[in-house]
Amino acid sequence: MSPRSATAVAHPNVALVKYWGKRDAARNLPAVGSISVTLARLSTVTSVRFDPALRGDELSIGGLPDAQALERVSKVLDRVRASAGFELRASVESRSDFPIGAGLASSASAFAALALAATKAAGLERSRRDLSVLARQGSGSAARSLFGGFVEWHRGERADGIDSFAEQLLPEEAWPLAVLVAVTSGAPKSVGSSDGMEHTRLTSPYWPAWVEGAPAALTAMRDAIGARDLVRVGELAEHSCLAMHAVAMAARPGLVYWNAATVAVMHAVRELRQKGVPAYFSIDAGPQVKVLAAPSDAGRVRDVLRAVPGVERVIDSRPGPGAQLVDGEMESGS
Ligand code: PMV
C-alpha cells in the first residue's frame, strides 16, 4: 500500500466559560461543559502520512521530534486506524505560528488539525461533530477548534462519551469582536492542564462549587452570545476565568499560572473599563491574557496593553474559522 497523507490547519480558541476538570480522565471527558471563541490569525498546520515503511508513529513539532506528546497523538491515530481497519503507522508534523505550551491553546489547534488530517489521510469521511469527539481524545479544548466562531463543548452524561461533542453556537462572521492577546512569556507552563485539572479535582476544597456553578454559567453565556452583548459576555467570561483560577489556586499545593505582567494586564483592563471602554480579560492555564473588546476600541486597548511592563507583544485577533483541509488529496507512489 502507498503512503496516504493529508494536511489540515486549525486555530486555537479562548474559553469564555472554562473547561477545568475531568469526569473520566481515561476517555478525556470533562466534568463541566465549556464555551469558547475560535481565534483567527493564530494557526497550527498539521500533516499526517500513513506509511507502510514506518515501524512506529513519529511526531515532530516545529521541526523537532517530540516523544512526550507522541503518546497522546498515537491515541488519536489508534482510533483512526481502528475505524479505517488498517495498522499503518504515521508520521505527523505540526507547526504553530505562536508560542506553544504556554497557555495559548496550541494543543487545541494541533489536535483539531490532527483529527481532520488523520481521518482524511485514512480515507474516512467524518462529520465535524464526530471529529470533535475524536479530537477530544488528544486535548479537550481541541473539540471546540473544529468549529469556527462561538462554540459549545458539551459535558455529556454517557460513560462512553459519545454525547460529549462540540457544536457551533454562532458563526465567526455573525459577531465582529476584537480579541487581543497580550503575550507576557513564551516559556512553557510549569504544570500542564491535564495534570493541573486532576490535581485540582483531587485536592481543591472549592471543586464541588466549581462543578455546581457550570450549568448556570453556560446558560447565561449562551444567552449573552445569542444577544451579541459584549458587556454580558465579558463579565461572564471574566468571572469564569477567575473562578477557574480560584479553584486551581485552592488546590494543595496551589496552582498559580500567572506572572506579574499577567496581573498588571488584568488591572489595566479594569482601568480601561472605569474610563468607559468595555474590555474584559480571560486567562487559560498560562500567563498570557486575552482581552475582548469592540472592534472600534481595539486600537486603544492595544496601546494600553503594549504599555504594560512585561508585555512582550500583542497579537490582534478576532473570531476565526474552524479546522480546514489544506490538501486532502491521497498521495500515491513515493
Ligand atoms: O484542552 P486542554 O486539556 O489543554 O485544557 C484546556 C484548559 C483551559 O485552556 C485552561 C480552559 C479551556 O476551556 O480551554
Side-chain angles (χ1 to χ4, degrees):
M1 195 188 258
S2 333
R4 307 156 159 211
S5 65
T7 299
V9 59
H11 307 277
N13 63 75
V14 53
L16 304 172
V17 175
K18 302 292 185 195
Y19 152 51
W20 193 254
K22 301 173 196 280
R23 67 180 168 94
D24 180 338
R27 289 194 171 86
N28 215 22
L29 291 168
V32 293
S34 55
I35 293 177
S36 61
V37 55
T38 303
L39 298 181
R41 300 201 54 208
L42 307 167
S43 56
T44 301
V45 175
T46 300
S47 299
V48 177
R49 182 167 51 89
F50 288 106
D51 189 340
L54 291 171
R55 318 227 3 216
D57 292 329
E58 291 174 359
L59 171 68
S60 78
I61 299 181
L64 300 172
D66 191 323
Q68 217 193 334
L70 181 60
E71 199 184 321
R72 282 203 285 165
V73 166
S74 286
K75 204 169 142 188
V76 173
L77 293 171
D78 283 344
R79 294 189 153 247
V80 174
R81 282 187 278 259
S83 302
F86 63 59
E87 295 284 322
L88 298 179
R89 302 293 115 180
S91 165
V92 177
E93 285 177 24
S94 189
R95 265 176 210 281
S96 296
D97 59 6
F98 56 92
I100 60 170
L104 267 179
S106 57
S107 62
S109 47
F111 279 101
L114 175 71
L116 183 56
T119 45
K120 186 70 187 178
L124 302 169
E125 290 296 333
R126 288 284 181 269
S127 67
R128 295 244 151 198
R129 178 185 284 205
D130 287 350
L131 288 170
S132 77
V133 171
L134 176 63
R136 189 202 79 217
Q137 320 284 333
S139 161
S141 55
R144 301 185 308 238
S145 276
L146 260 312
F147 295 90
F150 297 82
V151 184
E152 177 162 4
W153 172 29
H154 299 282
R155 174 192 187 277
E157 301 297 328
R158 290 179 54 129
D160 63 8
I162 58 165
D163 56 350
S164 184
F165 56 84
E167 64 183 335
Q168 188 178 61
L169 297 175
L170 204 62
E172 58 271 30
E173 64 280 0
W175 188 19
L177 193 70
V179 184
L180 295 125
V181 183
V183 178
T184 66
S185 167
K189 56 194 168 198
S190 49
V191 181
S193 34
S194 281
D195 289 345
M197 286 179 198
E198 278 303 89
H199 178 62
T200 303
R201 182 177 67 83
L202 295 170
T203 67
S204 176
Y206 301 162
W207 174 251
W210 165 251
V211 174
E212 275 161 29
L218 290 162
T219 304
M221 183 60 82
R222 245 179 257 128
D223 290 352
I225 288 172
R228 295 160 178 71
D229 184 334
L230 173 61
V231 173
R232 268 167 64 208
V233 166
E235 283 174 3
L236 291 164
E238 242 184 57
H239 181 261
S240 178
C241 160
L242 291 172
M244 178 200 113
H245 284 276
V247 68
M249 281 183 193
R252 289 169 194 268
L255 298 168
V256 181
Y257 286 106
W258 304 341
N259 61 30
T262 313
V263 179
V265 170
M266 292 158 71
H267 287 297
V269 167
R270 290 191 160 183
E271 273 163 32
L272 266 168
R273 283 220 292 280
Q274 277 173 351
K275 292 177 184 150
V277 180
Y280 300 86
F281 62 76
S282 182
I283 306 150
D284 288 314
Q288 333 301 352
V289 188
K290 291 93 174 181
V291 180
L292 307 176
S296 54
D297 289 328
R300 184 161 174 202
V301 175
R302 188 188 315 118
D303 290 346
V304 165
L305 298 180
R306 275 204 189 126
V308 174
V311 170
E312 292 173 2
R313 65 186 172 121
V314 177
I315 304 169
D316 278 294
S317 190
R318 58 176 184 277
Q324 286 154 28
L325 285 167
V326 176
D327 70 61
E329 296 302 311
M330 284 204 195
E331 233 174 52
S332 58
S334 77

